[in-house]
Amino acid sequence: MASSFECEVRFTIKDIKVFKRRLRELKARLLYPYAFTDYYYHPVNEKWNPLQKNLRIREWQKPKRPSTIYFVKNEIVKIGGIKFKRALYPEGKTPLFAGSTEACKSILIDLGFKPWVTVKKEKALFWNVHRYGFKTIAEYVKGLGWTGELEFEGKNPKRAMTEIKKALSILGIQPGLVSFKPISVLFAEKVDLRRIK
């Protein structure tokens, strides 16, 4: 869901059947299913804050696409009592190289990076809630469960915050289920707290 200076939140989906029912009530249209594995890397000789920077290889299972190295730099924004992450590069995820997964891994190791966490997204669904002017996803993350995401254009963060709050309300997502943290951090916190340090 790439958009300009993307502003994004994630949310826990407690019951996927209830979430899908809500989407049907909203007359949402399934755009396509997908599945991929993200291999996150950290520098060997430097400490990155994973809330602010991430480097990953995305290996697609469905649809079939070349594996791609992406770099993301974020800032955490708090407006009107809600926190979200905002990409600092115009297209959000900046592609650095596309090819085989093995080539991607070799390049990152040669550049001085080491594997951090692997996030496998299965049974993922991309929905258009056209009636209300936004899109959302539902992803099953192995080791984490079902999560959703909302993303809006972020040249104007205040407007993005308004859109995020509106969409969360329309979907019926409670504030306690919403996080500004990237999926890699949420996964690392759930699987092994020591790995985010």
Side-chain angles (χ1 to χ4, degrees):
M1 291 181 13
S3 57
S4 187
F5 297 101
E6 61 190 29
C7 291
E8 176 186 306
V9 292
R10 286 206 157 262
F11 52 90
T12 300
I13 299 172
K14 285 187 164 183
D15 187 326
I16 189 61
K17 290 180 182 176
V18 171
F19 186 69
K20 285 181 177 179
R21 185 166 65 237
R22 179 60 182 150
L23 288 170
R24 285 194 300 272
E25 291 168 357
L26 296 170
K27 307 252 188 282
R29 183 168 58 94
L30 177 63
L31 297 177
Y32 55 83
Y34 61 93
F36 58 76
T37 303
D38 278 343
Y39 302 93
Y40 287 85
Y41 281 71
H42 274 182
V44 172
N45 296 316
E46 185 183 344
K47 187 172 180 178
W48 278 3
N49 179 341
L51 294 174
Q52 296 173 336
K53 291 182 185 178
N54 77 61
L55 184 69
R56 77 189 95 159
I57 299 165
R58 176 158 293 172
E59 179 183 61
W60 287 91
Q61 282 84 49
K62 183 185 359 175
K64 279 291 183 190
R65 296 178 182 165
S67 294
T68 304
I69 299 172
Y70 289 105
F71 176 69
V72 177
K73 186 176 181 184
N74 298 312
E75 64 178 345
I76 306 305
V77 179
K78 184 176 181 182
I79 301 173
I82 189 168
K83 281 186 181 179
F84 54 90
K85 70 179 176 76
R86 178 177 183 263
L88 293 178
Y89 292 117
E91 297 307 316
K93 292 183 290 293
T94 302
L96 303 180
F97 173 81
S100 70
T101 302
E102 294 72 25
C104 292
K105 289 180 177 181
S106 180
I107 288 168
L108 292 186
I109 289 166
D110 287 345
L111 288 172
F113 291 87
K114 61 183 178 181
W116 177 43
V117 294
T118 300
V119 178
K120 189 172 181 64
K121 297 183 179 182
E122 306 169 317
K123 299 182 274 187
L125 304 165
F126 185 26
W127 298 87
N128 183 3
V129 190
H130 180 72
R131 178 196 260 175
Y132 296 95
F134 68 90
K135 295 179 177 77
T136 191
I137 59 172
E139 299 173 327
Y140 183 79
V141 178
K142 194 170 182 178
L144 192 59
W146 282 99
T147 69
E149 178 186 278
L150 287 166
E151 177 188 294
F152 291 93
E153 192 276 320
K155 285 182 184 174
N156 182 335
K158 286 185 179 178
R159 181 176 175 193
M161 179 273 298
T162 300
E163 296 294 330
I164 288 169
K165 287 175 88 170
K166 179 180 166 188
L168 288 169
S169 176
I170 290 166
L171 290 171
I173 305 298
Q174 300 301 313
L177 299 176
V178 180
S179 178
F180 63 91
K181 296 177 182 178
I183 193 71
S184 56
V185 173
L186 294 172
F187 180 83
E189 288 175 342
K190 174 92 176 203
V191 174
D192 184 351
L193 284 171
R194 293 167 296 173
R195 299 182 79 182
I196 66 167
K197 294 177 183 174

